[in-house]
Each structure stands twice: as C-alpha cells, then as structure tokens.
Amino acid sequence: MDHLTAIQEKTAFEHLFLSNYESSLKNYESQMTHAMNCVKRIMMSQNPYSGMTPFDVKKELDQHFPVFHPKMNQNQQAVFEKLTDITSNTIHVSHPLTAAHLHCPPMIPGLAAEAVISGLNQSMDSWDQSGAATMVEQYVMNGLCGMFQLPDGDGVMTSGGTQSNLMGLLLARERAALKFWGWNIKKQGLPKELHRLKILCSEAAHFSVQQAASILGLGEDSVVLVKADEKYRMCMKDLAACLYNLKENGELPFALIGTAGTTDFGSIDPLEEMSSLAKDYDLWFHADAAYGGGLVLTDTHKHKLAGLEKADSITVDFHKMFYQPISCGAFLVKNRESFSFIRHHADYLNPIEDEEDDIPNLVFKSIQTTRRFDALKPFLSFQLVRKEEWAEMIDHTLLLAQKTYELLKKEREFSVYHQPELSTVVFRYIGTGILTHEKLNQLNYQIREILLKNGEVIMARTKVDGDACLKFTFLNPLTKMADVKKIIRRMKEIGEDETRRLQYEQT
C-alpha cells in the first residue's frame, strides 16, 4: 500500500475536525469545556491584572511552551492548565477596576455567538461560502441603516474603526478624482494632481485618519488639522477659515471627518453644522462614530448624534458601547450606490452573472475577502437583550463619568481637564507638594505604573498641551462609584508617597 492510499484510508483524523463523527463531537465538547474553564478561572480573579512584567510573562511562556511546533500525544488537561497559567496574565477586561481604553467587557450573548461563528467558520465574501450567514449580515446592515436613519443606505461588517475610516476615505478619494478630473483611480491609478486633495478633521480626531491618508497615497500632509474648541470639539470658525485658505491656495478639499466621540475626551463634533458646510463645499462627509455610535440606543443621549444621519459614510464599532467581543465593526454609507467605487468581479468568486441572478456576494462591499461571520454577535445580542437594558447600561457609564468628574473637581489633589460628554474623564494628579512640571509629569505616569504593576487598577495615560495626564474610560456597566472612590483613594496614597520621594530627589 502506497503512502497516499494509507492516508486516504486512515480515520485517525476524525477527532481533530468538527463533524458528525462521535469522536469529533466528543473532542469538541471536551476542548470547549477546558477553554470555558480557562476563562472562568480568570473571571474569578480578584484583580484586573496579575502584575507580572512583560519579561516575567515571556519567561513563563518559554517555560511552559519552550518550542513552537506541533507535539504529539499531549494531555489535554495539562495543556489547558499551562494555557490558563499564561492567560491569567492577560488584562481582565470585565473587571470593574479596568477603566483604561475603549475596550469593553463583552456581553455573554456575543460570547455565545463567537462559539457558533468559530464552529461554523463561514467566509462572508460569497454566498456559496456562507449561505444564511450572508442574509444575516445583510439583515443587520439593513437594521443599522434604519437605526441611523439612512433609508437608502447599506453597510458591511469590518474589523473596527481603523478599517471603517479607511473605507470612508477610500470612497471619498474615488469620488473626488472623478469629480475633479474625470479620473478613475480604480482603473487608471493615482493621478498627477493627487497631492492637491485635502482632508479636514479635528486635531482631536483618531490617528487612523492620517494612517488612511498614507495608505491611500495621499500622504499624511494631506490631512489638515482643524483646531478644537475649549470642549475639544471641532471649532467651526477655524474650519471655515481652513476651507477658505485651501481654496485660495488652489488646494482641493474633498473630505470632512466628524468625530462622534474622540478617543481622549469623548467629545462629539458639531455634526449638524459640519454636514451643512460639507454640503456647501461639496465635500464627502464621513462621521467616525466608533465610540459614540452606541448613543443611538438611549433616548437620554441620542440627541448628541444629531447630524450623523447626514453623513455620507459612518463608522460604527460594536466592540465599544455595544459590548461585543473584538473584533466587530461596521461601515455604513448613506447611498448604497457608493459601494460601486470599489466593486470588483472575479469569475471564481463573485461573477457578474451572480448579480444578474440576484445572488448576494458581499465581497463587492468590502476591502477584505475572507471575513468572519461577526454580524452574528450583534444579531444574537439584540435578540437576547432588551433595548431598555442597553439604554440603562450606556446611561450608567455616562453618569458614572459625570459623577467622577464632579468628585475629582472637589479633590484638591487633582485637576480635571473637561466635563465629559461620553464616558471618558481626563485628569491630572497635582498633589499638595511642590514639584517641577517635569517631576509632576513623571509622578502621574508613576501612579499609573504602580497601580498596573500591583495588578490593582488598569487606567490610561495621555498628554494635554505637554501635561502628562491620567484617563478613565468607563465602558463597564459593572463599575460602580464605590470602585471609582477606591481608585482615587489609592492614587492619593501613591501620590503622597511618590511626592515625598521626588521632592527629596529635587533637593
């Protein structure tokens, strides 16, 4: 018997793949149970982090798994116990004392959906690789367009805000080239006059705007940063001045980016006014609502998104205020025909005959080919969680930010930089001692670092006009005011100890 025949007749692989074999289903259940127990053990942790340094984590990983290659006949339980030891040093994102980044605790329906997604392993590029999954994603997109008041719109799932912002500017660039020069970049490549195209966004906008400009061949210098006002929102007066100056200098502004929830301050740009100005100048208006898009679910704060429905394209992230597991984003357009700018046909994937036969292949709306069935996560969560519960969770985190702001204002050891519009609070420990600006910057970062090394609290850092600052980002509905007070108390304790040490160094 030759080697190929021996492989074909062999059935020892049955347990390795999910199928209707008894050995397969038994092994699937066993390993999924081990995986769930691994996660459950981490959830039982009393702290948001173990406190291990990167060096210590690497050392432990090398000890448990010294060589990366397939091994035979390892005991499942032993492997998962080692894995649990390693993953115990990951960030416990569902812990109430984790309040650093736009990194939400995932809802249980979303976790259940993840199990279905991985087990079915659908690819969302073509109907014959996904079947009903294609219809579910389109159903979710139709629902989102209704939710965001885009009656003629459409959308596609993305990996998150960075990809969605890239797609918004990609469509804007294609439209601009056709408008200004009758040039089809998709077919003809980049035109010589491309350097004249300009993108406008707030100086507080997400870095992915510059990143997208670079990827699209426009260059980071094509991004014109408009000043932010005292509330860290786009200054409309400066926007008007920038547009005027660009026109006077022979430049071609073609895209305006509005942010509904900046990363640092959670500020929402004046979307209504921006949409009017975009219309006057015939600009593509893209709204980055990755952070604040969730407000659409709460009657208390939904008004803050006024003008969002007038955007030509919108970024929405489900892995922020919609509490879904990473990654889970969406890109929406006001006019479904906008996707024609990136439509391609491949005979082996989405031949033009399929469109004529009304066979849905979603690849024409995406810059990805193989994509996960991520739409199942919000789909299942929306079926199992009432809208009132969504609204209460979002309202809770915004109220928590407001109360934290009010509390920090009363504490003489802290300076607060803004009144929160969403669920982010930026502040600075100033203490009661006398330290130089440089030492005070050092102290703020030390407070955060000590809390992280102790595994006590996960909080973020940033800089505002050269001041080293600390930041709370409240996305966890389980975080209570008592947790915030505990964090503030510990910051004051550490701040006092470190101030004495730094004052001694100054002398």
Side-chain angles (χ1 to χ4, degrees), residues 299-367:
D299 293 336
T300 312
H301 298 282
K302 185 167 58 176
H303 67 277
K304 295 177 180 179
L305 298 179
L308 185 63
E309 73 284 356
K310 296 179 181 178
D312 294 292
S313 55
I314 302 174
T315 290
V316 179
D317 269 10
F318 289 111
H319 53 231
K320 291 184 174 65
M321 274 194 183
F322 289 89
Y323 309 116
Q324 296 304 302
I326 295 169
S327 61
C328 198
F331 173 71
L332 306 177
V333 292
K334 182 169 65 176
N335 183 346
R336 62 176 61 92
E337 290 304 314
S338 297
F339 282 120
S340 64
F341 288 125
I342 58 172
R343 181 180 274 112
H344 288 272
H345 290 284
D347 289 336
Y348 55 82
L349 186 64
N350 63 328
I352 196 166
E353 291 83 3
D354 278 6
E355 286 191 20
E356 295 170 354
D357 295 335
D358 291 327
I359 296 174
N361 296 311
L362 301 182
V363 69
F364 82 88
K365 296 191 289 183
S366 179
I367 57 175

Coordinates of all heavy atoms in Angstrom, one line a residue, residues 299-367:
D299 N -32.5 57.0 24.7 CA -33.2 58.2 24.4 C -32.6 59.4 25.2 O -32.8 60.6 24.8 CB -34.7 58.0 24.8 CG -35.4 57.0 23.9 OD1 -35.0 56.9 22.8 OD2 -36.4 56.4 24.4
T300 N -31.9 59.1 26.3 CA -31.4 60.2 27.1 C -30.3 61.0 26.4 O -30.2 62.2 26.6 CB -30.8 59.6 28.4 OG1 -31.7 58.7 29.0 CG2 -30.4 60.7 29.4
H301 N -29.5 60.3 25.6 CA -28.3 60.9 25.0 C -28.3 60.9 23.5 O -27.4 61.4 22.8 CB -27.0 60.2 25.5 CG -26.8 60.4 27.0 ND1 -26.4 61.5 27.6 CD2 -27.1 59.5 28.0 CE1 -26.3 61.3 28.9 NE2 -26.7 60.1 29.2
K302 N -29.3 60.3 22.8 CA -29.3 60.1 21.4 C -29.2 61.4 20.7 O -28.7 61.5 19.5 CB -30.6 59.3 21.0 CG -30.7 59.0 19.5 CD -31.8 58.0 19.2 CE -33.1 58.5 19.7 NZ -34.2 57.5 19.4
H303 N -29.8 62.5 21.3 CA -29.8 63.8 20.6 C -28.4 64.3 20.3 O -28.2 65.2 19.5 CB -30.5 64.8 21.5 CG -29.8 65.1 22.8 ND1 -29.9 64.3 23.9 CD2 -28.9 66.1 23.1 CE1 -29.2 64.8 24.9 NE2 -28.6 65.9 24.4
K304 N -27.4 63.8 21.0 CA -26.0 64.2 20.8 C -25.5 63.8 19.4 O -24.4 64.4 19.0 CB -25.1 63.7 21.9 CG -25.4 64.2 23.3 CD -24.5 63.5 24.3 CE -24.8 64.0 25.8 NZ -23.9 63.4 26.8
L305 N -26.1 62.9 18.8 CA -25.7 62.4 17.5 C -26.4 63.2 16.3 O -26.3 62.8 15.2 CB -26.0 60.9 17.3 CG -25.2 60.0 18.3 CD1 -25.6 58.6 18.1 CD2 -23.7 60.2 18.2
A306 N -27.1 64.2 16.7 CA -27.9 65.0 15.6 C -26.9 65.4 14.5 O -25.9 65.9 14.7 CB -28.5 66.2 16.2
G307 N -27.3 65.1 13.3 CA -26.5 65.4 12.1 C -25.8 64.2 11.6 O -25.3 64.2 10.4
L308 N -25.7 63.1 12.4 CA -25.0 61.9 12.0 C -25.6 61.3 10.8 O -25.0 60.8 9.9 CB -25.0 60.9 13.1 CG -24.2 59.6 12.9 CD1 -22.7 59.9 12.7 CD2 -24.4 58.7 14.1
E309 N -27.0 61.4 10.7 CA -27.7 60.8 9.6 C -27.5 61.5 8.3 O -27.8 61.0 7.2 CB -29.2 60.9 9.9 CG -29.9 62.2 9.8 CD -29.6 63.2 11.0 OE1 -28.9 62.7 12.0 OE2 -30.0 64.3 11.0
K310 N -26.8 62.7 8.3 CA -26.5 63.4 7.1 C -25.1 63.0 6.5 O -24.7 63.5 5.5 CB -26.6 64.9 7.3 CG -28.0 65.3 7.7 CD -28.1 66.8 7.9 CE -29.5 67.2 8.3 NZ -29.7 68.6 8.7
A311 N -24.4 62.2 7.2 CA -23.0 61.8 6.8 C -23.1 60.9 5.5 O -24.1 60.1 5.4 CB -22.3 61.1 7.9
D312 N -22.1 61.0 4.7 CA -22.1 60.1 3.5 C -21.6 58.7 3.9 O -22.0 57.8 3.2 CB -21.1 60.7 2.5 CG -21.6 62.0 1.9 OD1 -22.6 62.0 1.1 OD2 -21.0 63.1 2.2
S313 N -20.9 58.6 5.0 CA -20.4 57.3 5.5 C -20.2 57.5 7.0 O -19.9 58.5 7.5 CB -19.2 56.9 4.8 OG -18.1 57.8 4.9
I314 N -20.4 56.3 7.7 CA -20.4 56.3 9.1 C -19.6 55.1 9.6 O -19.7 54.0 9.1 CB -21.8 56.2 9.8 CG1 -22.6 57.4 9.3 CG2 -21.7 56.2 11.3 CD1 -24.1 57.3 9.7
T315 N -18.7 55.3 10.6 CA -18.0 54.2 11.3 C -18.8 53.9 12.6 O -19.1 54.8 13.4 CB -16.6 54.7 11.6 OG1 -15.8 54.8 10.4 CG2 -15.9 53.7 12.6
V316 N -19.0 52.6 12.7 CA -19.7 52.1 14.0 C -18.9 51.0 14.5 O -18.5 50.1 13.8 CB -21.1 51.7 13.7 CG1 -21.8 51.1 15.0 CG2 -22.0 52.8 13.1
D317 N -18.6 51.0 15.8 CA -17.9 49.9 16.4 C -18.8 49.2 17.4 O -19.3 49.8 18.4 CB -16.6 50.4 17.2 CG -15.4 50.4 16.3 OD1 -15.6 50.2 15.1 OD2 -14.3 50.5 16.8
F318 N -19.0 47.9 17.2 CA -19.8 47.1 18.1 C -19.0 46.7 19.3 O -19.5 46.3 20.4 CB -20.4 45.9 17.5 CG -21.5 46.1 16.5 CD1 -21.3 46.0 15.1 CD2 -22.7 46.6 16.9 CE1 -22.3 46.2 14.2 CE2 -23.7 46.9 16.0 CZ -23.5 46.7 14.7
H319 N -17.6 46.7 19.2 CA -16.8 46.3 20.3 C -16.4 47.5 21.3 O -15.4 47.5 21.9 CB -15.5 45.6 19.9 CG -14.7 46.2 18.8 ND1 -14.3 45.6 17.7 CD2 -14.2 47.5 18.8 CE1 -13.6 46.5 17.0 NE2 -13.5 47.6 17.7
K320 N -17.3 48.5 21.3 CA -17.2 49.5 22.3 C -18.5 49.6 23.1 O -18.8 48.8 23.9 CB -16.8 50.8 21.6 CG -15.4 50.8 21.0 CD -15.0 52.1 20.5 CE -13.5 52.2 20.1 NZ -13.2 51.3 19.0
M321 N -19.4 50.6 22.7 CA -20.6 50.8 23.5 C -21.7 49.7 23.2 O -22.7 49.7 23.9 CB -21.2 52.2 23.3 CG -20.6 53.2 24.2 SD -21.6 54.7 24.2 CE -20.6 55.7 25.3
F322 N -21.4 48.9 22.3 CA -22.4 47.8 22.0 C -22.0 46.5 22.7 O -22.6 45.5 22.6 CB -22.5 47.5 20.5 CG -23.3 48.6 19.8 CD1 -22.6 49.7 19.2 CD2 -24.6 48.6 19.6 CE1 -23.3 50.7 18.5 CE2 -25.3 49.6 18.9 CZ -24.6 50.7 18.4
Y323 N -20.8 46.5 23.4 CA -20.4 45.5 24.3 C -20.2 44.1 23.6 O -20.5 43.1 24.2 CB -21.4 45.3 25.5 CG -21.7 46.6 26.2 CD1 -22.9 47.1 26.2 CD2 -20.7 47.3 26.8 CE1 -23.2 48.3 26.8 CE2 -20.9 48.5 27.5 CZ -22.2 49.0 27.5 OH -22.5 50.2 28.1
Q324 N -19.6 44.1 22.4 CA -19.4 42.9 21.7 C -17.9 42.5 21.7 O -17.1 43.3 21.8 CB -19.9 43.0 20.2 CG -21.4 43.2 20.1 CD -22.2 42.2 20.8 OE1 -22.1 41.0 20.5 NE2 -23.0 42.6 21.7
P325 N -17.6 41.2 21.6 CA -16.2 40.7 21.6 C -15.5 41.3 20.3 O -16.1 41.4 19.3 CB -16.3 39.2 21.5 CG -17.7 38.9 22.0 CD -18.6 40.0 21.6
I326 N -14.3 41.6 20.5 CA -13.4 42.0 19.4 C -13.2 40.9 18.4 O -13.1 39.7 18.9 CB -12.0 42.5 20.0 CG1 -12.2 43.7 20.9 CG2 -11.0 42.8 18.9 CD1 -10.9 44.1 21.7
S327 N -13.2 41.1 17.1 CA -13.4 42.4 16.5 C -14.8 42.4 15.9 O -15.3 41.4 15.5 CB -12.4 42.7 15.4 OG -12.4 41.7 14.4
C328 N -15.4 43.6 15.9 CA -16.8 43.7 15.5 C -17.1 45.2 15.2 O -17.5 45.9 16.0 CB -17.7 43.2 16.6 SG -19.4 42.7 16.0
G329 N -17.0 45.5 13.9 CA -17.3 46.9 13.5 C -18.2 46.9 12.3 O -18.4 45.8 11.6
A330 N -18.6 48.1 11.9 CA -19.5 48.2 10.7 C -19.1 49.5 10.0 O -18.8 50.5 10.6 CB -20.9 48.1 11.0
F331 N -19.3 49.5 8.7 CA -19.1 50.7 7.8 C -20.4 50.9 7.1 O -20.9 50.0 6.4 CB -17.9 50.5 6.9 CG -17.8 51.6 5.9 CD1 -17.4 52.9 6.3 CD2 -18.1 51.4 4.5 CE1 -17.2 53.9 5.4 CE2 -18.0 52.5 3.6 CZ -17.5 53.7 4.0
L332 N -21.0 52.1 7.2 CA -22.3 52.4 6.6 C -22.2 53.5 5.6 O -21.3 54.4 5.8 CB -23.3 52.8 7.7 CG -23.5 51.8 8.9 CD1 -24.5 52.4 9.9 CD2 -24.0 50.5 8.4
V333 N -23.0 53.5 4.6 CA -23.0 54.6 3.6 C -24.4 55.0 3.5 O -25.4 54.3 3.6 CB -22.4 54.1 2.2 CG1 -20.9 53.9 2.3 CG2 -23.2 52.9 1.7
K334 N -24.6 56.3 3.2 CA -25.9 56.9 3.1 C -26.6 56.5 1.8 O -27.8 56.3 1.7 CB -25.8 58.5 3.1 CG -27.1 59.2 3.0 CD -27.0 60.7 3.3 CE -26.1 61.4 2.3 NZ -26.1 62.9 2.5
N335 N -25.7 56.3 0.7 CA -26.2 55.9 -0.6 C -25.6 54.6 -0.9 O -24.4 54.5 -1.1 CB -25.9 57.0 -1.6 CG -26.5 56.6 -3.0 OD1 -26.9 55.5 -3.3 ND2 -26.5 57.6 -3.9
R336 N -26.4 53.5 -1.0 CA -25.8 52.2 -1.3 C -25.0 52.1 -2.6 O -24.1 51.3 -2.7 CB -26.9 51.1 -1.3 CG -28.0 51.3 -2.4 CD -29.0 50.1 -2.4 NE -29.7 50.1 -1.1 CZ -30.9 50.7 -0.9 NH1 -31.4 51.4 -1.8 NH2 -31.5 50.6 0.3
E337 N -25.3 53.0 -3.5 CA -24.5 53.0 -4.8 C -23.1 53.5 -4.6 O -22.2 53.3 -5.5 CB -25.2 53.9 -5.8 CG -26.5 53.4 -6.3 CD -26.4 52.0 -6.9 OE1 -25.4 51.8 -7.7 OE2 -27.2 51.1 -6.6
S338 N -22.8 54.0 -3.4 CA -21.4 54.4 -3.1 C -20.4 53.3 -3.2 O -19.2 53.4 -3.5 CB -21.3 55.1 -1.8 OG -22.1 56.3 -1.7
F339 N -20.9 52.1 -2.9 CA -20.0 50.9 -3.0 C -19.6 50.6 -4.4 O -18.6 49.8 -4.6 CB -20.7 49.7 -2.3 CG -20.7 49.7 -0.8 CD1 -21.9 49.7 -0.1 CD2 -19.5 49.7 -0.1 CE1 -21.9 49.7 1.3 CE2 -19.5 49.7 1.3 CZ -20.7 49.7 2.0
S340 N -20.2 51.2 -5.4 CA -19.8 50.9 -6.8 C -18.3 51.4 -7.0 O -17.6 50.9 -7.9 CB -20.7 51.6 -7.8 OG -20.6 53.1 -7.6
F341 N -17.8 52.3 -6.2 CA -16.4 52.8 -6.3 C -15.4 51.7 -6.1 O -14.3 51.8 -6.6 CB -16.2 53.9 -5.3 CG -16.8 55.2 -5.7 CD1 -17.6 55.9 -4.8 CD2 -16.6 55.8 -6.9 CE1 -18.3 57.1 -5.1 CE2 -17.2 57.0 -7.2 CZ -18.0 57.7 -6.3
I342 N -15.8 50.6 -5.3 CA -14.8 49.6 -5.1 C -15.3 48.2 -5.6 O -14.7 47.2 -5.2 CB -14.5 49.5 -3.5 CG1 -15.8 49.2 -2.7 CG2 -13.8 50.7 -3.1 CD1 -15.5 48.9 -1.3
R343 N -16.4 48.2 -6.4 CA -16.9 46.9 -6.8 C -15.9 46.3 -7.8 O -15.5 46.9 -8.8 CB -18.3 47.1 -7.5 CG -18.9 45.8 -8.0 CD -20.3 46.1 -8.6 NE -21.3 46.1 -7.7 CZ -22.0 47.1 -7.3 NH1 -21.8 48.3 -7.9 NH2 -23.0 47.0 -6.4
H344 N -15.6 45.0 -7.6 CA -14.8 44.2 -8.5 C -15.5 42.9 -8.7 O -16.3 42.4 -7.8 CB -13.4 43.9 -7.9 CG -12.5 45.1 -7.9 ND1 -11.7 45.5 -9.0 CD2 -12.3 46.1 -7.0 CE1 -11.0 46.6 -8.7 NE2 -11.4 47.0 -7.5
H345 N -15.3 42.2 -9.9 CA -15.8 40.9 -10.1 C -14.7 40.0 -10.5 O -13.8 40.3 -11.2 CB -16.8 41.0 -11.3 CG -18.1 41.7 -11.0 ND1 -19.1 41.2 -10.3 CD2 -18.5 43.0 -11.3 CE1 -20.1 42.1 -10.1 NE2 -19.7 43.2 -10.8
A346 N -14.8 38.8 -9.8 CA -13.8 37.7 -10.1 C -14.7 36.5 -10.5 O -15.6 36.1 -9.8 CB -13.0 37.4 -8.9
D347 N -14.3 35.9 -11.6 CA -15.1 34.7 -12.1 C -15.2 33.6 -11.1 O -16.1 32.8 -11.1 CB -14.5 34.3 -13.5 CG -14.8 35.2 -14.6 OD1 -15.8 36.0 -14.5 OD2 -14.0 35.2 -15.6
Y348 N -14.1 33.5 -10.3 CA -14.1 32.3 -9.4 C -14.8 32.7 -8.1 O -14.9 31.8 -7.2 CB -12.6 31.9 -9.1 CG -11.7 33.1 -8.6 CD1 -11.8 33.5 -7.3 CD2 -10.9 33.8 -9.5 CE1 -11.0 34.6 -6.9 CE2 -10.2 34.9 -9.1 CZ -10.2 35.2 -7.7 OH -9.4 36.3 -7.3
L349 N -15.2 33.9 -7.9 CA -15.8 34.3 -6.6 C -17.1 35.0 -6.7 O -18.1 34.5 -6.2 CB -14.8 35.3 -5.9 CG -15.1 35.7 -4.5 CD1 -15.0 34.5 -3.5 CD2 -14.1 36.7 -4.0
N350 N -17.2 36.1 -7.4 CA -18.5 36.8 -7.5 C -18.7 37.3 -8.9 O -18.7 38.5 -9.3 CB -18.5 38.0 -6.6 CG -17.4 39.1 -6.9 OD1 -16.3 38.7 -7.4 ND2 -17.7 40.3 -6.7
P351 N -18.8 36.3 -9.9 CA -19.0 36.7 -11.3 C -20.2 37.6 -11.5 O -21.2 37.6 -10.7 CB -19.2 35.3 -12.0 CG -19.7 34.4 -10.9 CD -19.0 34.9 -9.6
I352 N -20.2 38.4 -12.5 CA -21.3 39.4 -12.7 C -22.6 38.7 -12.9 O -23.7 39.3 -12.7 CB -20.9 40.3 -13.9 CG1 -21.8 41.5 -13.9 CG2 -21.0 39.5 -15.2 CD1 -21.3 42.6 -14.8
E353 N -22.6 37.4 -13.4 CA -23.8 36.7 -13.6 C -24.6 36.5 -12.3 O -25.8 36.4 -12.3 CB -23.5 35.3 -14.2 CG -23.1 35.3 -15.6 CD -21.6 35.6 -15.8 OE1 -20.9 35.7 -14.7 OE2 -21.1 35.7 -16.9
D354 N -23.8 36.4 -11.2 CA -24.5 36.3 -9.8 C -25.4 37.5 -9.5 O -26.5 37.3 -9.0 CB -23.4 36.1 -8.7 CG -23.0 34.6 -8.7 OD1 -23.4 33.8 -9.5 OD2 -22.2 34.3 -7.7
E355 N -24.9 38.7 -9.9 CA -25.7 39.9 -9.6 C -26.9 39.9 -10.5 O -28.0 40.3 -10.0 CB -24.8 41.1 -9.9 CG -23.8 41.4 -8.8 CD -23.2 42.8 -8.9 OE1 -23.8 43.7 -9.6 OE2 -22.1 43.0 -8.3
E356 N -26.8 39.4 -11.7 CA -27.9 39.4 -12.6 C -29.0 38.4 -12.1 O -30.2 38.5 -12.3 CB -27.5 39.0 -14.0 CG -26.6 40.0 -14.7 CD -25.9 39.5 -15.9 OE1 -26.0 38.3 -16.2 OE2 -25.2 40.3 -16.6
D357 N -28.5 37.3 -11.4 CA -29.4 36.3 -10.8 C -29.8 36.6 -9.4 O -30.4 35.8 -8.7 CB -28.7 35.0 -10.9 CG -28.5 34.5 -12.3 OD1 -29.3 35.0 -13.2 OD2 -27.6 33.7 -12.6
D358 N -29.4 37.8 -8.9 CA -29.7 38.3 -7.5 C -29.1 37.4 -6.4 O -29.7 37.1 -5.4 CB -31.3 38.3 -7.3 CG -31.9 39.5 -8.1 OD1 -31.2 40.5 -8.2 OD2 -33.0 39.3 -8.5
I359 N -28.0 36.8 -6.7 CA -27.2 36.0 -5.7 C -26.3 37.0 -5.0 O -25.5 37.7 -5.5 CB -26.4 34.9 -6.4 CG1 -27.3 33.9 -7.1 CG2 -25.5 34.2 -5.4 CD1 -26.6 32.9 -8.0
P360 N -26.5 37.1 -3.7 CA -25.7 38.1 -2.9 C -24.3 37.6 -2.5 O -24.1 36.7 -1.8 CB -26.6 38.2 -1.6 CG -27.2 36.9 -1.5 CD -27.4 36.3 -2.8
N361 N -23.3 38.3 -3.0 CA -21.9 38.1 -2.7 C -21.4 39.4 -2.0 O -21.3 40.4 -2.7 CB -21.1 37.8 -3.9 CG -21.5 36.5 -4.5 OD1 -21.7 35.5 -3.8 ND2 -21.7 36.4 -5.8
L362 N -21.2 39.4 -0.8 CA -20.9 40.7 0.0 C -19.5 41.2 -0.3 O -19.1 42.3 0.2 CB -21.1 40.4 1.5 CG -22.5 40.0 1.9 CD1 -22.5 39.9 3.4 CD2 -23.5 41.0 1.4
V363 N -18.6 40.4 -1.0 CA -17.2 40.9 -1.2 C -17.2 42.2 -1.9 O -16.2 42.9 -1.8 CB -16.4 39.8 -1.9 CG1 -16.9 39.6 -3.4 CG2 -15.0 40.0 -1.9
F364 N -18.2 42.5 -2.7 CA -18.1 43.8 -3.5 C -18.2 45.0 -2.6 O -17.9 46.1 -3.0 CB -19.2 43.8 -4.6 CG -20.5 44.3 -4.1 CD1 -20.9 45.6 -4.1 CD2 -21.5 43.4 -3.6 CE1 -22.1 46.0 -3.6 CE2 -22.7 43.8 -3.1 CZ -23.1 45.1 -3.1
K365 N -18.6 44.8 -1.3 CA -18.7 46.0 -0.4 C -17.5 46.1 0.5 O -17.5 47.0 1.4 CB -20.0 45.9 0.4 CG -21.3 46.0 -0.4 CD -22.5 46.1 0.5 CE -22.8 44.8 1.2 NZ -24.0 45.0 2.1
S366 N -16.5 45.2 0.4 CA -15.5 45.1 1.4 C -14.1 45.2 0.8 O -13.9 44.8 -0.4 CB -15.6 43.8 2.2 OG -14.6 43.7 3.2
I367 N -13.1 45.7 1.6 CA -11.7 45.6 1.1 C -11.1 44.4 1.6 O -9.9 44.1 1.4 CB -10.9 46.9 1.6 CG1 -11.0 47.0 3.1 CG2 -11.4 48.1 0.9 CD1 -10.1 48.1 3.6

